[in-house]
C-alpha cells in the first residue's frame, strides 16, 4: 500500500478485556516497529521485527503484551487483561532500510475504561 | 543513559520568527539524530536527520545544529509559518541492532499568523 495502515483507528475496551491491534506495513518493508505514545510523553519503543522474527522485544512493558508478524507483512499487537495505564496511542512504523526510512502509521488510540 | 531530554515543552512564535528546539543526550554511542513532525491525529513524519560527523544540516527552512562535545542538538525553523504548528520530537539511535529510536518528550509549536 501507499502507507502504513493501522486498524482500528480507535478502540475503547473495558478493563480486563483483551485487545488486538493490527498493522499493515508498506509492501516490501522488512523492518517493522511498534511504539506507544502516552499523553504528554514521547514515543516509547515496544518491539522490533525483521521479517517474521522479533530480535528486540525489550520495550514490551509486561507479559500481558505480545506481538507477532506473519508472512513478513501484517503484524498484530495483543494486550491481554487490559489495564487503565495501557490507554495510549499505539503506533506502528515500517522501514526498508532500518532507521533511515521509518514511515509511521496514524496509530490506534486505545482507551481502557 | 538512554534518555533524550527535549526542551521547551511548548513554544509560541509569530509568523516569520525562528523557533529553536533543543535536545540533549547522554549515550555517546548514539550516531543518528532525526527530528520528527507530528500533526494531531497523525503519526510522526521524518523531517530531517543528522549524523555526528557534521555540525549542521539544512533542508529548506529546517536546520539541525549538532554539538558533539556538548552532546546537544537543536532544530531551527526559519521564517516559520502557521502551517508549521505541530509537535516536534527529537530522537536518537545506535546504528546496528534493532535501530530503535529513543525519543524526546516533544515540543508543541504554535506559530501565530
Amino acid at each position: 500500500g501507499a502507507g502504513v495502515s493501522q486498524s482500528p483507528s480507535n478502540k475503547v475496551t473495558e478493563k480486563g478485556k483483551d485487545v488486538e491491534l493490527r498493522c499493515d506495513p508498506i509492501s516490501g518493508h522488512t523492518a517493522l516497529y511498534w511504539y506507544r505514545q502516552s499523553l504528554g510523553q514521547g514515543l516509547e519503543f515496544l518491539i522490533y521485527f525483521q521479517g517474521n522474527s522479533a530480535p528486540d522485544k525489550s520495550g514490551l512493558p509486561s507479559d500481558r503484551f505480545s506481538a507477532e508478524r506473519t508472512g513478513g507483512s501484517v503484524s498484530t499487537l495483543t494486550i491481554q487483561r487490559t489495564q487503565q495505564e495501557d490507554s495510549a496511542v499505539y503506533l506502528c512504523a515500517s522501514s526498508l532500510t532500518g532507521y533511515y526510512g521509518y514511515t509511521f502509521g496514524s496509530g490506534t488510540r486505545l482507551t481502557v475504561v | 543513559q538512554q534518555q533524550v531530554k527535549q526542551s521547551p515543552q511548548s513554544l509560541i512564535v509569530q509568523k516569520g520568527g525562528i523557533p529553536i528546539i533543543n535536545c540533549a543526550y547522554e549515550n555517546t554511542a548514539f550516531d543518528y539524530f532525526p527530528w520528527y513532525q507530528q500533526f494531531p491525529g497523525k503519526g510522526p513524519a521524518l523531517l530531517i536527520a543528522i549524523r555526528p560527523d557534521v555540525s549542521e544540516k539544512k533542508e529548506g527552512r529546517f536546520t539541525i545544529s549538532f554539538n558533539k562535545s556538548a552532546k546537544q542538538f537543536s532544530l531551527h525553523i526559519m521564517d516559520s509559518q502557521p502551517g508549521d504548528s505541530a509537535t516536534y520530537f527529537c530522537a536518537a539511535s545506535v546504528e546496528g541492532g534493532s535501530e530503535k529510536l529513543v525519543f524526546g518528550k516533544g515540543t508543541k509549536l504554535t506559530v501565530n499568523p
Side-chain angles (χ1 to χ4, degrees):
Chain A
V4 177
S5 178
Q6 292 189 246
S7 60
S9 55
N10 282 284
K11 176 73 176 178
V12 180
T13 189
E14 292 181 352
K15 178 181 173 181
K17 301 280 189 181
D18 297 353
V19 295
E20 286 189 350
L21 312 180
R22 177 186 169 106
C23 173
D24 282 275
I26 293 173
S27 178
H29 279 193
T30 56
L32 186 147
Y33 303 80
W34 284 97
Y35 285 81
R36 178 168 71 174
Q37 185 174 23
S38 303
L39 187 63
Q41 302 295 312
L43 284 75
E44 173 191 16
F45 168 80
L46 297 177
I47 187 168
Y48 157 67
F49 286 93
Q50 181 61 245
N52 291 336
S53 301
D56 191 345
K57 307 178 184 179
S58 62
L60 294 177
S62 74
D63 58 9
R64 296 187 296 106
F65 288 72
S66 63
E68 65 174 9
R69 188 179 185 193
T70 56
S73 181
V74 172
S75 177
T76 303
L77 177 68
T78 301
I79 308 173
Q80 296 179 310
R81 305 181 301 282
T82 52
Q83 303 295 313
Q84 287 187 330
E85 62 262 28
D86 299 334
S87 296
V89 176
Y90 290 83
L91 290 159
C92 174
S94 71
S95 173
L96 184 59
T97 58
Y99 59 53
Y100 290 99
Y102 269 46
T103 300
F104 279 92
S106 293
T108 294
R109 181 176 297 278
L110 175 66
T111 303
V112 181
V113 297
Chain B
Q1 188 73 336
Q2 286 294 318
Q3 283 185 329
V4 176
K5 295 183 179 179
Q6 183 172 348
S7 63
Q9 194 171 17
S10 63
L11 188 55
I12 301 174
V13 300
Q14 293 298 120
K15 178 182 174 182
I18 306 176
I20 301 173
I21 305 170
N22 299 298
C23 287
Y25 63 97
E26 289 296 324
N27 187 351
T28 55
F30 286 146
D31 59 1
Y32 175 71
F33 303 89
W35 285 88
Y36 281 80
Q37 179 189 56
Q38 186 178 30
F39 294 104
K42 301 294 185 182
L46 178 64
L47 194 59
I48 186 173
I50 197 168
R51 300 293 294 273
D53 52 348
V54 297
S55 60
E56 186 174 281
K57 184 174 181 180
K58 184 176 181 179
E59 289 186 3
R61 295 184 295 108
F62 300 92
T63 299
I64 299 179
S65 297
F66 185 83
N67 186 329
K68 187 174 181 178
S69 61
K71 292 184 286 187
Q72 295 175 347
F73 58 109
S74 60
L75 176 70
H76 298 62
I77 305 175
M78 304 303 178
D79 187 28
S80 58
Q81 301 296 313
D84 296 330
S85 297
T87 298
Y88 292 81
F89 293 95
C90 61
S93 182
V94 178
E95 188 173 12
S98 69
E99 298 173 342
K100 62 191 176 189
L101 291 170
V102 178
F103 283 87
K105 291 191 176 182
T107 296
K108 185 175 181 180
L109 172 66
T110 302
V111 181
N112 289 324

